[in-house]
Amino acid sequence: MACGGMRGPVLWLPEPARGTPVCLAFDGSETSDFTVIKAETRDGLIFTPRWGSGGTVWDPAQYGGRIPKDQVSEAVDDLFDRFEVSRLYCDPPYWGTEIEEWSARHGDERVIKWPTYRPMPMHAATELFVADLRSGRIMHDGCPVTALHMGNARMAPRRDGRYMLAKPDTARKIDAAVATVLVHEAAADARAAGWSDAAQQTYFRLPR
């Protein structure tokens, strides 16, 4: 797997405490792919927030073949209530209306459209994620769906020398991997804007 290192332990760590400063990322679908919300703390823990009986991951197969958009919107509002959200990067296809509603409720300075289909920005975001993962600057919580999707993800080369994340076939999903790369981009941009306080950093170390 090109994005090696996220297979990780079986242990799924509990989410950080209420009020923790985080960035969020949203990768949505309607019928075929998963819809996922990921979070990253200032000190580099990438995690899947808890929601319902599991996490903020929706498989359309479990909802009659269609993502329950009202439930996803409830989860977004809940995350803004539970955590101190610096920004939420959203991949907009199929969810334009909902993203506008989130922006109206939570502020357009925090809810930001970030299309993942753009080759240059997505390539750069993936390169940053891989480099920071390998250097130990970021850790993950052991979310089993994310680990599976990371294992599925492939780096598909383009003619211009860049690459995009791709799934090997339609059955093996990568949506949690895309959301993971996107949330790290959100957190990196937030840190560049002054979000991070190096004196407060306490990196999470997971068992190997």
Side-chain angles (χ1 to χ4, degrees):
M1 180 188 69
C3 290
M6 290 290 287
R7 292 179 185 272
V10 175
L11 174 68
W12 188 7
L13 296 178
E15 68 179 19
R18 186 183 187 93
T20 298
V22 301
C23 285
L24 302 174
F26 165 82
D27 182 51
S29 178
E30 283 191 320
T31 58
S32 58
D33 292 327
F34 284 45
T35 289
V36 181
I37 302 172
K38 297 289 291 186
E40 182 172 334
T41 64
R42 278 193 303 205
D43 52 9
L45 175 67
I46 298 177
F47 67 98
T48 301
R50 297 303 198 268
W51 175 256
S53 59
T56 49
V57 176
W58 291 266
D59 177 357
Q62 297 179 2
Y63 297 93
R66 183 169 291 275
I67 297 293
K69 288 192 170 185
D70 55 343
Q71 188 181 115
V72 176
S73 288
E74 289 177 11
V76 169
D77 292 342
D78 178 62
L79 294 177
F80 272 89
D81 179 61
R82 283 196 285 134
F83 297 104
E84 183 184 315
V85 179
S86 174
R87 59 185 68 192
L88 163 62
Y89 278 7
C90 303
D91 192 25
Y94 311 111
W95 288 79
T97 299
E98 289 76 17
I99 294 169
E100 292 296 333
E101 292 171 349
W102 304 342
S103 177
R105 289 197 293 272
H106 304 293
D108 57 12
E109 77 283 358
R110 294 198 290 173
V111 179
I112 300 165
K113 292 180 180 179
W114 203 102
T116 62
Y117 54 74
R118 298 173 298 163
M120 290 180 63
M122 193 59 186
H123 172 87
T126 306
E127 288 280 274
L128 175 66
F129 170 78
V130 171
D132 286 351
L133 179 65
R134 288 174 175 168
S135 68
R137 291 181 180 275
I138 50 178
M139 295 292 167
H140 67 108
D141 66 340
C143 168
V145 173
T146 302
L148 177 62
H149 286 201
M150 278 289 175
N152 291 340
R154 299 292 182 269
M155 292 180 176
R158 292 169 44 86
R159 291 181 180 178
D160 59 8
R162 299 182 180 90
Y163 58 82
M164 298 286 284
L165 290 182
K167 50 192 171 187
D169 55 63
T170 58
R172 288 184 281 180
K173 305 301 183 181
I174 65 168
D175 309 290
V178 173
T180 297
V181 170
L182 185 55
V183 79
H184 188 54
E185 181 72 5
D189 288 348
R191 292 185 187 103
W195 183 51
S196 180
D197 181 354
Q200 297 179 4
Q201 290 186 345
T202 53
Y203 287 102
F204 288 77
R205 299 295 176 184
L206 301 182
R208 295 185 181 276

